[in-house]
Amino acid sequence: MIYFYIPFAVFILFYINQMTYRLCVQKEIPDDRQPKVYRTINILVTILLISSYIEVLYT
């Protein structure tokens, strides 16, 4: 299960970062605020991925 989930999680994080970049460009977010946006989104997505893995693991 973990051999499938880790590449899937990396793909999801990569794709979310691409969408975050497009959001920053479209909304014209200043360069000094972009790291905060990336950090927040990456932390939230990582929490989601970990919680979904735990849910799948224990059901």
Side-chain angles (χ1 to χ4, degrees):
M1 176 69 183
I2 197 165
Y3 297 115
F4 168 75
Y5 201 79
I6 289 177
F8 175 72
V10 170
F11 172 76
I12 294 296
L13 281 171
F14 178 74
Y15 193 71
I16 293 293
N17 280 330
Q18 283 184 339
M19 292 193 305
T20 304
Y21 173 75
R22 288 188 221 140
L23 172 76
C24 289
V25 170
Q26 182 180 12
K27 297 296 181 182
E28 298 175 357
I29 297 174
D31 288 339
D32 59 332
R33 292 195 59 216
Q34 286 184 11
K36 290 181 183 179
V37 173
Y38 276 98
R39 187 177 325 119
T40 303
I41 291 175
N42 282 335
I43 289 171
L44 293 174
V45 169
T46 303
I47 290 170
L48 256 168
L49 288 168
I50 290 170
S51 64
S52 67
Y53 177 74
I54 290 172
E55 182 179 347
V56 168
L57 188 64
Y58 290 113
T59 55

